[in-house]
Amino acid sequence: MKQWTDVERKQLKIFVVVNFGITILMGFLMAISSRKGNDVSIFASAQMMYPAAAVILALLLTTGKEKKKPGKFFITYLVTAGISILLTIGSVFFPSDMWFLAENYALILGSILSWIMLLWEKKEVRDDYGLRFGRHKVKQSFLMMLLFLALYILRLVLASIPDGLGELGAILIAPETWITMAVLVINFYLAFIAFFGEEYGWRFFLQPMLQRRFGLKSGVILLGVIWGLWHLPLNVFLYSPDTWVYSILLHQITCITFSVFFGYAYCKTGNLWVPIVIHYINNNMGVALIQSADIGNQVYSWQDVWMLLILNGIVFMPFLFTKVYKKK
């Protein structure tokens, strides 16, 4: 275990202030908008942008001019995040369905421009900032994505056993399920910027920070706790306003167990795009399986908490005891 350097401490302070500061401020606005009876779904997509924006600002403010940075990509991302925040604020004071539509278009345009700027950057610069795919273990990276998909389906199977597997089987063989999945593959390129937003903050920046300071296992567990708490405004005002305590507990379980597997996948491949893709798979599989993208106003109970604890514990927590988390 190592102490953080002065530069790392400064970067960490900037990350915490920007990421959690914006989250808290926007949380107050979300509360106001929710009390007005507005749809606050737009806050979720905007919040996904905050972690990477915080990391980018930390890197720009602490890295000397002598080291080349992917400036074109970074600026494009920050502009997109800024537009997303402004659109979200607009939805509070001038309620309209157009804000959410404009947000989607902003993310699509931001994703396209970000791909262009990313490919424009030199390979060695992309390498230095964890942005390159091809150099890493490409075959292993794709296998890791398939592994997560298999584990996701396994969890569904285990969850369906008490009520029978007939309904799940019907969904899995339905043509519309596979059509939607095919569309999701294409859609990734038009929506990646939001998932990059979380993973660049949590996996690329904060995970190695915490693991160097607290150890591989403790660091990744602590990351999961922090990641879960970061969702708190969404738990209270969007995901489950009526049962928000259960929603917070569910997110703690999800984020800790996913932090273990996402961290395993990242360390195993050295490829940040792996957790980005599996994060995308996780957030969008519901669309393919139940043909719905609604994430708001869910009602949970203690049974849901215990069920998720058991299922995620069985499916994802064993990866905490792999060689990846035993290395010194």
Side-chain angles (χ1 to χ4, degrees):
M1 300 181 192
K2 299 179 180 179
Q3 297 292 329
W4 292 315
T5 65
D6 291 340
V7 172
E8 287 175 334
R9 288 193 186 93
K10 187 175 181 181
Q11 290 175 342
L12 190 58
K13 287 178 182 178
I14 295 171
F15 175 79
V16 171
V17 169
V18 174
N19 186 19
F20 286 89
I22 297 176
T23 299
I24 292 170
L25 290 174
M26 296 298 283
F28 284 117
L29 292 178
M30 198 188 314
I32 294 171
S33 190
S34 178
R35 286 175 179 267
K36 289 182 177 181
N38 300 334
D39 179 8
V40 293
S41 300
I42 188 173
F43 281 86
S45 55
Q47 187 165 325
M48 294 180 76
M49 306 284 286
Y50 307 160
V55 174
I56 290 170
L57 287 172
L59 293 174
L60 291 176
L61 293 172
T62 60
T63 306
K65 294 181 179 179
E66 68 280 356
K67 184 175 182 180
K68 293 184 179 179
K69 294 176 280 291
K72 294 182 284 291
F73 173 76
F74 278 178
I75 295 302
T76 302
Y77 184 90
L78 289 176
V79 169
T80 305
I83 292 172
S84 181
I85 291 171
L86 290 175
L87 291 172
T88 303
I89 294 173
S91 73
V92 178
F93 301 103
F94 307 99
S96 170
D97 293 337
M98 294 301 295
W99 294 108
F100 189 74
L101 183 63
E103 165 81 350
N104 285 332
Y105 282 127
L107 293 179
I108 290 172
L109 181 59
S111 292
I112 294 171
L113 291 176
S114 293
W115 281 122
I116 294 171
M117 297 304 171
L118 190 58
L119 293 173
W120 196 347
E121 303 288 357
K122 293 182 179 180
K123 291 181 180 180
E124 57 270 20
V125 176
R126 280 182 276 157
D127 280 345
D128 288 344
Y129 289 86
L131 300 171
R132 192 176 170 195
F133 187 99
R135 181 182 177 184
H136 302 281
K137 305 170 183 177
V138 176
K139 182 179 178 180
Q140 190 177 46
S141 295
F142 282 110
L143 289 175
M144 196 64 65
M145 297 171 194
L146 291 174
L147 173 60
F148 178 77
L149 182 59
L151 292 172
Y152 188 100
I153 294 174
L154 172 62
R155 186 177 60 168
L156 286 177
V157 171
L158 293 175
S160 301
I161 288 175
D163 299 319
L165 299 175
E167 183 178 353
L168 177 61
I171 292 173
L172 291 176
I173 64 174
E176 55 267 28
T177 298
W178 295 98
I179 292 171
T180 306
M181 284 188 176
V183 172
L184 289 176
V185 173
I186 300 171
N187 190 58
F188 171 76
Y189 296 96
L190 302 177
F192 91 95
I193 197 169
F195 301 91
F196 169 87
E198 284 208 46
E199 293 307 311
Y200 203 64
W202 304 125
R203 237 58 59 188
F204 174 76
F205 177 77
L206 194 57
Q207 177 177 312
M209 279 272 206
L210 295 179
Q211 287 184 317
R212 283 199 300 272
R213 182 67 182 84
F214 301 104
L216 297 181
K217 290 182 180 180
S218 298
V220 81
I221 295 295
L222 180 57
L223 171 61
V225 173
I226 295 170
W227 187 19
L229 291 174
W230 175 81
H231 286 88
L232 197 146
L234 298 174
N235 295 133
V236 176
F237 301 113
L238 174 60
Y239 297 150
S240 184
D242 295 329
T243 54
W244 55 269
V245 173
Y246 297 126
S247 181
I248 292 172
L249 293 174
L250 287 166
H251 255 85
Q252 278 295 311
I253 295 168
T254 298
C255 290
I256 291 172
T257 54
F258 275 13
S259 184
V260 169
F261 182 80
F262 284 26
Y264 167 83
Y266 181 39
C267 292
K268 192 75 173 175
T269 62
N271 189 344
L272 181 66
W273 292 98
V274 173
I276 291 173
V277 171
I278 60 179
H279 195 150
Y280 175 80
I281 292 171
N282 176 71
N283 284 31
N284 288 278
M285 277 294 288
V287 177
L289 296 176
I290 63 175
Q291 303 294 310
S292 174
D294 186 20
I295 59 173
N297 298 306
Q298 304 295 317
V299 176
Y300 300 114
S301 66
W302 274 113
Q303 183 179 354
D304 297 309
V305 175
W306 285 112
M307 179 63 73
L308 186 66
L309 182 62
I310 293 169
L311 291 175
N312 278 23
I314 293 172
V315 175
F316 297 114
M317 284 306 287
F319 289 93
L320 187 63
F321 305 99
T322 57
K323 291 181 179 180
V324 162
Y325 291 114
K326 293 180 181 178
K327 296 177 181 178
K328 293 185 179 181

